[in-house]
Amino acid sequence: MPGGLGCPAKARDETGSANWWTSGGVRPPYRVHFTKLVVAMWIFAVAVRLILIDQPYVDHWSWRQSDVAAIARNFFEHGFRFGYPQIDWAGGSAGYVGTEFPILPFLAAICYKFAGIHEWIGRSQSVIFFAISLPFFFLLVRETWHGLQGHEESAGCRCHVAAIWATFFYAFAPLNVFAGRSFLPDVPSLSLGMIGLYFFLRLLRDRKMAPFYLAAIAISLSILIKVTSIVIAAPILYLAVAAVYDLRRDKERRFPKPPGRSGDRPSLRFGAHRAPLQLIAFCAIVLLPSAIWYWHAYQIAERFYPHHFFGAGGVRLESFSWYWAIAQQTATSSLTPILAILALIGLCVAPRGKFGCLFDWWLAAMVLFVVAVGYGNRHPWYQLPLVPIAAAFAGVACDFLGSKISSRIAIVVFSILLASSFATLAFLYVRPFYESSAVQHRNAGLELNKITASEALIVAVDGGNPAIFYYAKRKGWHFLEQNGVFGGNPRNSQQAISDLERLRREGATHLVFTMNTFWWSQSYPELTQHLNETATLLEATPEFKIYTLAPTAK
């Protein structure tokens, strides 16, 4: 890393000045070095996300990706009805559900027309959005703290250093690496949100209309793809208020009101008096499409079985131990302890000033979100926006620490140790995410696809993981089933038998257990006896057991 934690050594003369190389608009050499470094990180970060890009949906986020993949496959097989996404675990019904704006599975379904159904197609969307977002994140960090650290050229160098380190942490944080190759809406939504945030900042700095529309469209799409991205409203509101205040203060400084006189002052082209109208127009572009779509999605959930709205039920306060577990997970497997500690240091030393509190407000909104949506945050991808926030503060911490080290050799050594330590921890923490925790679900599904008719309806004792249905290309129910969704484990054999018989009357033809639910045979002996009397064991392996259910009398 050029110059290690701090500015390049060549960027200072004997007096410590950083402007000796600039004249007549000549580009400072540190910017050339930093540009090359960003490009190198971009290439390596994308390459890392291509590892196991064609892995089946059997990793630790199997169930969520299988749902998205099922929606894509149903678009492909049952017609491209964009407003009616379908899942597979609604029995014999169509399975229309209320979801986020399904642009990602819809695009995947279009690609299936040309390349066939492959896991890498869905995963590659997150890779592409991440790749697009990385340079914008670098620019966002650089612009946020540009000019807040003293002399113009020295500050320019130092904000580049902070942005380089922030980009490095953002690119290789374990949570972001794994999410950045998963068939989920979270990385595309986060990427669009950061792009929109950058253009909104440029709008306030340049006062031109092009960034206005780019910011509004990007943030609108971000919220459409993932409604939880609404937390981006906090830094947006902060920037808007800070800009209005700055405009008014600047106008008062440039056009002071003479004593004893009244009247209008000259106005700026993009002035404070227009800011409220511009903000209203911005909010309309951002929020109206989401309001329309999510109202439609809610109506779909109300009208059609299983009456499911994605994300419903997540808004729930939990105990302190619950939040402590989330904090521990975030500080370790999501960020690594190194990034977490540096982020805390950066939070304390980050310069505050014009637009300098952008990441503070984003962090405050995320903390409030994690608390309010306590139950929903059991899924680590909900905390994904903490990665760019932590990375930005960590970048500032690295610049701060580097400025306290006078020896160039010490800076380079410390930079190498820090980068290699973080990379090592990131590798160790991200590996478990890739482990095949649901391979038995996939194998059971593939076998069901071979030995059952296309109209078969499957009852799956799967812990709520729809991977069986996805790979079987069959519809059915999770077991236990309550109101169309997975209802947990039965209290006793009688509840299990009652639920199974109800589903059999609704047309269920097969029952499947996977190895992680084989314990049912011991815990629910009456259910086992009932299956011996009313079902036929069709196939048994160390990974799964498949039963054919006897048809009900008509």
XYZ file of all heavy atoms in Angstrom, residues 394-458:
490
model
N -13.129 2.499 10.022
C -11.835 1.838 10.123
C -10.803 2.520 9.218
O -9.621 2.620 9.573
C -11.969 0.363 9.763
N -11.235 2.985 8.048
C -10.332 3.708 7.166
C -9.799 4.977 7.807
O -8.609 5.296 7.701
N -10.690 5.701 8.484
C -10.267 6.909 9.197
C -9.289 6.554 10.315
O -8.309 7.261 10.563
C -11.495 7.650 9.764
C -11.060 8.810 10.652
C -12.358 8.179 8.633
N -9.557 5.446 11.020
C -8.661 5.018 12.096
C -7.270 4.715 11.557
O -6.259 5.077 12.183
C -9.240 3.788 12.784
N -7.195 4.051 10.403
C -5.892 3.743 9.813
C -5.135 5.011 9.438
O -3.918 5.121 9.674
C -6.078 2.858 8.582
S -6.593 1.171 8.954
N -5.834 5.975 8.874
C -5.194 7.254 8.552
C -4.713 7.952 9.823
O -3.603 8.484 9.876
C -6.176 8.150 7.798
C -5.678 9.575 7.701
O -4.670 9.800 7.008
O -6.279 10.465 8.349
N -5.538 7.928 10.862
C -5.182 8.560 12.134
C -3.946 7.904 12.738
O -3.001 8.588 13.166
C -6.357 8.472 13.098
C -6.046 8.951 14.492
C -6.025 10.302 14.788
C -5.779 8.039 15.502
C -5.725 10.744 16.069
C -5.485 8.467 16.779
C -5.464 9.832 17.065
N -3.927 6.577 12.785
C -2.781 5.871 13.351
C -1.528 6.107 12.522
O -0.427 6.267 13.064
C -3.087 4.374 13.438
C -4.215 3.973 14.396
C -4.517 2.480 14.258
C -3.848 4.317 15.831
N -1.679 6.126 11.209
C -0.531 6.371 10.341
C 0.060 7.754 10.540
O 1.279 7.937 10.443
N -0.796 8.743 10.819
C -0.303 10.107 11.016
C 0.507 10.248 12.293
O 1.234 11.232 12.462
C -1.479 11.089 11.040
O -2.279 10.894 12.209
N 0.393 9.276 13.197
C 1.128 9.328 14.465
C 2.471 8.604 14.382
O 3.226 8.599 15.350
C 0.290 8.697 15.582
C -1.086 9.315 15.766
C -1.006 10.805 16.044
C -2.389 11.409 16.213
N -2.337 12.886 16.399
N 2.740 7.962 13.244
C 3.985 7.219 13.072
C 4.897 8.022 12.155
O 4.531 8.335 11.015
C 3.734 5.821 12.495
C 2.767 5.034 13.398
C 5.035 5.060 12.321
C 2.363 3.689 12.846
N 6.082 8.358 12.627
C 6.987 9.214 11.853
C 7.879 8.436 10.899
O 8.321 8.963 9.882
C 7.864 10.036 12.817
O 8.598 9.174 13.686
N 8.152 7.172 11.219
C 9.056 6.375 10.394
C 8.308 5.725 9.241
O 7.305 5.039 9.440
C 9.723 5.291 11.245
O 10.404 4.359 10.432
N 8.833 5.936 8.023
C 8.205 5.329 6.855
C 8.292 3.806 6.927
O 7.332 3.106 6.588
C 8.858 5.834 5.579
C 8.353 5.129 4.325
C 8.909 5.744 3.065
N 8.568 4.959 1.914
C 7.381 4.966 1.298
N 6.420 5.722 1.770
N 7.169 4.219 0.229
N 9.423 3.293 7.382
C 9.583 1.835 7.476
C 8.574 1.256 8.448
O 7.946 0.222 8.182
C 11.019 1.482 7.903
C 12.010 1.917 6.819
C 11.151 -0.015 8.184
C 13.467 1.670 7.184
N 8.385 1.927 9.576
C 7.421 1.452 10.575
C 6.001 1.466 10.009
O 5.207 0.549 10.255
C 7.508 2.303 11.828
N 5.675 2.484 9.231
C 4.348 2.575 8.624
C 4.122 1.417 7.648
O 3.067 0.766 7.659
C 4.172 3.924 7.898
C 4.062 5.058 8.907
C 2.932 3.901 7.010
C 3.947 6.427 8.273
N 5.121 1.147 6.804
C 4.985 0.076 5.818
C 4.849 -1.277 6.500
O 3.978 -2.088 6.140
C 6.185 0.076 4.855
C 6.151 -1.148 3.957
C 6.189 1.357 4.017
N 5.677 -1.522 7.508
C 5.617 -2.802 8.219
C 4.262 -2.968 8.904
O 3.626 -4.029 8.821
C 6.757 -2.905 9.241
C 6.571 -4.120 10.151
C 8.103 -2.982 8.530
N 3.824 -1.909 9.589
C 2.544 -1.979 10.281
C 1.394 -2.170 9.298
O 0.441 -2.913 9.563
C 2.331 -0.722 11.121
C 1.153 -0.802 12.027
C 1.011 -1.847 12.930
C 0.154 0.171 11.991
C -0.072 -1.929 13.781
C -0.936 0.099 12.832
C -1.053 -0.952 13.731
N 1.462 -1.533 8.144
C 0.419 -1.674 7.127
C 0.346 -3.104 6.610
O -0.742 -3.667 6.458
C 0.677 -0.717 5.958
O 0.661 0.618 6.372
N 1.521 -3.691 6.357
C 1.551 -5.074 5.864
C 0.993 -6.026 6.904
O 0.196 -6.927 6.595
C 2.980 -5.467 5.465
C 3.437 -4.646 4.249
C 3.067 -6.957 5.160
C 4.892 -4.847 3.880
N 1.393 -5.833 8.163
C 0.896 -6.696 9.239
C -0.614 -6.553 9.404
O -1.334 -7.548 9.584
C 1.609 -6.365 10.547
C 3.081 -6.785 10.651
C 3.683 -6.285 11.954
C 3.204 -8.305 10.558
N -1.097 -5.325 9.345
C -2.534 -5.103 9.507
C -3.325 -5.729 8.366
O -4.315 -6.444 8.592
C -2.824 -3.599 9.572
C -4.294 -3.194 9.666
C -4.944 -3.776 10.922
C -4.447 -1.677 9.640
N -2.886 -5.490 7.129
C -3.605 -6.021 5.971
C -3.592 -7.546 5.958
O -4.617 -8.194 5.709
C -3.001 -5.468 4.680
N -2.425 -8.136 6.243
C -2.335 -9.595 6.222
C -3.122 -10.222 7.371
O -3.739 -11.275 7.196
C -0.870 -10.029 6.280
O -0.239 -9.531 7.452
N -3.117 -9.593 8.539
C -3.875 -10.124 9.676
C -5.373 -10.086 9.398
O -6.097 -11.056 9.661
C -3.555 -9.331 10.944
O -2.197 -9.431 11.280
N -5.828 -8.973 8.852
C -7.251 -8.874 8.526
C -7.632 -9.892 7.457
O -8.673 -10.565 7.571
C -7.593 -7.467 8.044
C -8.989 -7.340 7.501
C -10.082 -7.309 8.345
C -9.215 -7.287 6.132
C -11.374 -7.207 7.861
C -10.501 -7.190 5.621
C -11.583 -7.151 6.493
N -6.815 -10.032 6.425
C -7.117 -10.978 5.350
C -7.162 -12.406 5.878
O -8.022 -13.204 5.488
C -6.081 -10.852 4.235
N -6.242 -12.736 6.780
C -6.218 -14.087 7.354
C -7.478 -14.354 8.167
O -8.115 -15.410 8.031
C -4.977 -14.273 8.236
O -3.798 -14.072 7.450
C -4.946 -15.669 8.841
N -7.842 -13.405 9.037
C -9.051 -13.580 9.833
C -10.302 -13.633 8.951
O -11.219 -14.421 9.203
C -9.182 -12.438 10.845
C -8.278 -12.515 12.079
C -8.467 -11.282 12.946
C -8.571 -13.776 12.882
N -10.337 -12.797 7.916
C -11.485 -12.806 7.013
C -11.637 -14.173 6.352
O -12.751 -14.703 6.221
C -11.330 -11.716 5.957
N -10.524 -14.750 5.935
C -10.553 -16.077 5.320
C -11.065 -17.130 6.305
O -11.906 -17.971 5.960
C -9.157 -16.448 4.827
C -9.025 -17.864 4.349
C -9.564 -18.253 3.134
C -8.386 -18.818 5.130
C -9.454 -19.566 2.696
C -8.273 -20.132 4.703
C -8.815 -20.505 3.486
N -10.573 -17.082 7.539
C -10.974 -18.075 8.538
C -12.455 -17.941 8.906
O -13.144 -18.950 9.112
C -10.107 -17.927 9.792
C -8.623 -18.272 9.632
C -7.865 -17.984 10.911
C -8.453 -19.737 9.226
N -12.944 -16.717 8.961
C -14.337 -16.517 9.351
C -15.317 -16.774 8.209
O -16.472 -17.130 8.442
C -14.541 -15.097 9.885
C -14.146 -14.933 11.331
C -13.121 -14.064 11.694
C -14.797 -15.635 12.340
C -12.753 -13.902 13.026
C -14.445 -15.478 13.671
C -13.414 -14.607 14.011
O -13.057 -14.462 15.327
N -14.875 -16.576 6.960
C -15.806 -16.749 5.848
C -15.940 -18.210 5.439
O -16.962 -18.610 4.863
C -15.383 -15.881 4.643
C -14.274 -16.539 3.833
C -16.581 -15.576 3.736
N -14.936 -19.023 5.725
C -14.973 -20.430 5.298
C -16.207 -21.184 5.778
O -16.838 -21.908 4.984
C -13.710 -21.158 5.765
C -12.482 -20.893 4.918
C -11.317 -21.756 5.382
N -11.589 -23.177 5.192
C -10.796 -24.150 5.620
N -9.686 -23.845 6.290
N -11.097 -25.413 5.398
N -16.600 -21.061 7.053
C -17.777 -21.818 7.502
C -19.060 -21.483 6.754
O -19.960 -22.325 6.658
C -17.891 -21.434 8.988
C -16.506 -21.039 9.384
C -15.944 -20.372 8.176
N -19.159 -20.267 6.202
C -20.363 -19.909 5.455
C -20.568 -20.817 4.245
O -21.699 -21.080 3.841
C -20.289 -18.451 4.971
C -20.501 -17.427 6.049
C -19.467 -16.610 6.466
C -21.734 -17.267 6.640
C -19.651 -15.662 7.449
C -21.943 -16.313 7.623
C -20.889 -15.511 8.032
N -19.475 -21.281 3.651
C -19.550 -22.076 2.433
C -19.852 -23.554 2.702
O -20.132 -24.298 1.773
C -18.225 -21.993 1.667
C -17.949 -20.662 1.031
C -17.394 -19.622 1.768
C -18.213 -20.432 -0.318
C -17.120 -18.389 1.193
C -17.950 -19.216 -0.904
C -17.404 -18.195 -0.152
O -17.138 -16.976 -0.722
N -19.760 -23.974 3.948
C -19.930 -25.392 4.253
C -21.317 -25.885 3.852
O -22.309 -25.181 4.012
C -19.688 -25.636 5.742
C -18.233 -25.423 6.146
C -18.033 -25.589 7.632
O -19.040 -25.823 8.362
O -16.876 -25.479 8.096
N -21.381 -27.111 3.367
C -22.633 -27.679 2.862
C -23.480 -28.195 4.025
O -23.403 -29.363 4.398
C -22.333 -28.801 1.866
O -21.625 -28.303 0.761
N -24.288 -27.311 4.572
C -25.134 -27.699 5.702
C -26.468 -28.284 5.256
O -27.204 -28.838 6.078
C -25.389 -26.481 6.601
O -26.076 -25.466 5.881
N -26.815 -28.150 3.981
C -28.118 -28.625 3.500
C -27.975 -29.559 2.299
O -28.897 -29.668 1.489
C -29.014 -27.438 3.137
N -26.828 -30.240 2.194
C -26.643 -31.123 1.045
C -27.655 -32.257 1.040
O -28.090 -32.726 -0.027
C -25.198 -31.674 1.029
C -24.930 -32.586 2.223
C -24.894 -32.378 -0.273
N -28.086 -32.703 2.247
C -29.082 -33.773 2.309
C -30.427 -33.314 1.759
O -31.176 -34.111 1.178
C -29.238 -34.293 3.750
C -29.856 -33.329 4.727
C -28.823 -32.397 5.347
O -27.704 -32.279 4.867
N -29.198 -31.737 6.436
N -30.753 -32.026 1.907
C -31.994 -31.501 1.336
C -31.945 -31.540 -0.192
O -32.918 -31.923 -0.849
C -32.237 -30.068 1.814
C -32.489 -29.942 3.280
N -31.493 -30.034 4.213
C -33.644 -29.726 3.974
C -32.007 -29.879 5.419
N -33.310 -29.695 5.305
N -30.799 -31.146 -0.725
C -30.652 -31.166 -2.187
C -30.726 -32.586 -2.723
O -31.434 -32.849 -3.720
C -29.331 -30.534 -2.581
C -29.043 -30.585 -4.080
C -27.761 -29.847 -4.407
N -27.478 -29.892 -5.839
C -26.694 -30.785 -6.432
N -26.106 -31.748 -5.687
N -26.487 -30.762 -7.737
N -30.024 -33.516 -2.089
C -30.026 -34.896 -2.568
C -31.408 -35.526 -2.476
O -31.820 -36.273 -3.375
C -29.011 -35.724 -1.782
C -27.578 -35.315 -2.096
O -27.309 -34.707 -3.125
N -26.659 -35.657 -1.204
N -32.124 -35.221 -1.397
C -33.492 -35.724 -1.279
C -34.371 -35.142 -2.376
O -35.207 -35.847 -2.969
C -34.060 -35.389 0.095
N -34.194 -33.863 -2.660
C -34.975 -33.234 -3.715
C -34.686 -33.820 -5.086
O -35.609 -34.087 -5.875
N -33.417 -34.034 -5.382
C -33.059 -34.628 -6.672
C -33.643 -36.032 -6.826
O -34.093 -36.421 -7.915
C -31.542 -34.672 -6.819
C -30.825 -33.311 -6.936
C -29.314 -33.505 -6.937
C -31.270 -32.564 -8.193
N -33.648 -36.793 -5.721
C -34.218 -38.132 -5.782
C -35.734 -38.074 -5.966
O -36.301 -38.876 -6.734
C -33.867 -38.906 -4.516
C -34.221 -40.383 -4.559
C -33.468 -41.143 -5.645
O -32.381 -40.682 -6.070
O -33.965 -42.205 -6.070
N -36.376 -37.152 -5.292
C -37.823 -36.992 -5.467
C -38.156 -36.623 -6.909
O -39.177 -37.054 -7.457
C -38.362 -35.925 -4.508
C -38.529 -36.362 -3.052
C -38.696 -35.139 -2.148
C -39.751 -37.283 -2.917
N -37.316 -35.829 -7.512
C -37.526 -35.454 -8.902
C -37.484 -36.668 -9.826
O -38.193 -36.735 -10.832
C -36.482 -34.423 -9.328
C -36.616 -34.002 -10.770
O -35.891 -34.479 -11.639
N -37.571 -33.130 -11.039
N -36.662 -37.669 -9.467
C -36.526 -38.868 -10.290
C -37.690 -39.849 -10.100
O -38.156 -40.466 -11.064
C -35.213 -39.585 -9.954
C -33.959 -38.844 -10.352
C -32.735 -39.658 -9.947
C -31.439 -38.933 -10.266
N -30.262 -39.722 -9.808
N -38.134 -40.016 -8.861
C -39.031 -41.141 -8.563
C -40.489 -40.744 -8.374
O -41.333 -41.606 -8.160
C -38.548 -41.897 -7.305
C -38.636 -40.996 -6.063
C -37.130 -42.409 -7.490
C -38.245 -41.708 -4.776
N -40.813 -39.458 -8.464
C -42.207 -39.039 -8.286
C -42.726 -38.380 -9.549
O -41.958 -37.849 -10.363
C -42.346 -38.058 -7.110
O -41.624 -36.850 -7.408
C -41.811 -38.659 -5.816
N -44.028 -38.401 -9.683
C -44.670 -37.739 -10.822
C -44.599 -36.223 -10.646
O -44.467 -35.714 -9.533
C -46.121 -38.199 -10.932
N -44.707 -35.508 -11.752
C -44.562 -34.048 -11.702
C -45.645 -33.383 -10.870
O -45.445 -32.296 -10.333
C -44.584 -33.478 -13.126
O -45.803 -33.813 -13.779
N -46.821 -34.040 -10.728
C -47.906 -33.450 -9.946
C -47.880 -33.887 -8.483
O -48.790 -33.539 -7.707
C -49.258 -33.813 -10.562
C -49.606 -35.291 -10.516
C -49.058 -36.070 -11.689
O -48.220 -35.505 -12.440
O -49.468 -37.238 -11.865
N -46.866 -34.624 -8.067
C -46.773 -35.080 -6.673
C -46.682 -33.888 -5.735
O -46.084 -32.851 -6.063
C -45.556 -35.985 -6.501
N -47.282 -34.057 -4.560
C -47.224 -33.028 -3.521
C -46.463 -33.603 -2.326
O -46.841 -34.635 -1.780
C -48.628 -32.592 -3.105
C -49.453 -31.870 -4.178
C -50.849 -31.550 -3.660
C -48.743 -30.595 -4.617
N -45.412 -32.893 -1.915
C -44.463 -33.408 -0.938
C -44.703 -32.770 0.427
O -44.857 -31.544 0.523
C -43.012 -33.123 -1.376
C -42.802 -33.538 -2.838
C -42.030 -33.794 -0.447
C -43.051 -34.996 -3.111
